[in-house]
Amino acid sequence: MENLGLILRLNNIEQDMKNSIKITAIILLILSIFGCEDESLPECVQGKVIGYQSCYNVNVIQVLSGTLKGEEIRWEGEQYQNVIQYPGGALSEEIIYFSYRFFNAEQDSTYANLICPANLAPLAVPMIVITDYSTEYCP
């Protein structure tokens, strides 16, 4: 009789484990389908380089795709939507694909502004730092 009781308990434990595995698998499947997007991955953005302001050492870029939001500006007689700026040497490419982070004055102190004439104001658009870019595809 003791053996029968032990066998029944082992069968119950086995059945409980199978049910636990099934429930865990279902939960993992639901989380993988409806889970949050990984916010730590850098976003890839397509942009058009519309100019370079040498005095402030910034590239002026119109964002063409992605969630990065810029401002509307007038640049060399043309009106542009969704414009941001990137400090650093002039980019010669017209269309670029890039990953970015927002400019941090302490972290990015190497991008020092040059002395500019009083009649040339800095652009009132968001400043970013490009972390990786390509002229052909998202990095």
Side-chain angles (χ1 to χ4, degrees), residues 79-98:
Q79 198 70 22
Y80 293 95
Q81 303 287 327
N82 208 16
V83 176
I84 52 101
Q85 58 187 328
Y86 159 63
L91 297 172
S92 59
E93 297 82 8
E94 185 172 304
I95 300 294
I96 61 172
Y97 302 86
F98 60 93

Side-chain angles (χ1 to χ4, degrees), residues 13-114:
I13 291 172
E14 182 180 347
Q15 190 62 38
D16 288 345
M17 287 180 65
K18 286 180 181 177
N19 287 339
S20 294
I21 291 172
K22 288 178 185 176
I23 290 170
T24 303
I26 291 170
I27 290 171
L28 289 175
L29 178 64
I30 290 170
L31 288 175
S32 68
I33 293 172
F34 298 107
C36 297
E37 213 175 280
D38 186 355
E39 300 288 330
S40 65
L41 295 175
E43 176 187 22
C44 181
V45 176
Q46 180 186 25
K48 177 181 178 183
V49 180
I50 58 175
Y52 176 72
Q53 191 175 51
S54 60
C55 181
Y56 286 102
N57 191 31
V58 293
N59 293 277
V60 182
I61 301 171
Q62 181 181 27
V63 177
L64 301 175
S65 71
T67 60
L68 178 59
K69 298 297 177 210
E71 298 294 329
E72 181 178 342
I73 67 166
R74 188 163 198 77
W75 179 264
E76 296 184 359
E78 296 288 325
Q79 198 70 22
Y80 293 95
Q81 303 287 327
N82 208 16
V83 176
I84 52 101
Q85 58 187 328
Y86 159 63
L91 297 172
S92 59
E93 297 82 8
E94 185 172 304
I95 300 294
I96 61 172
Y97 302 86
F98 60 93
S99 301
Y100 68 93
R101 63 178 171 74
F102 287 99
F103 183 83
N104 177 313
E106 289 177 19
Q107 182 179 355
D108 302 316
S109 61
T110 57
Y111 297 111
N113 289 337
L114 306 173

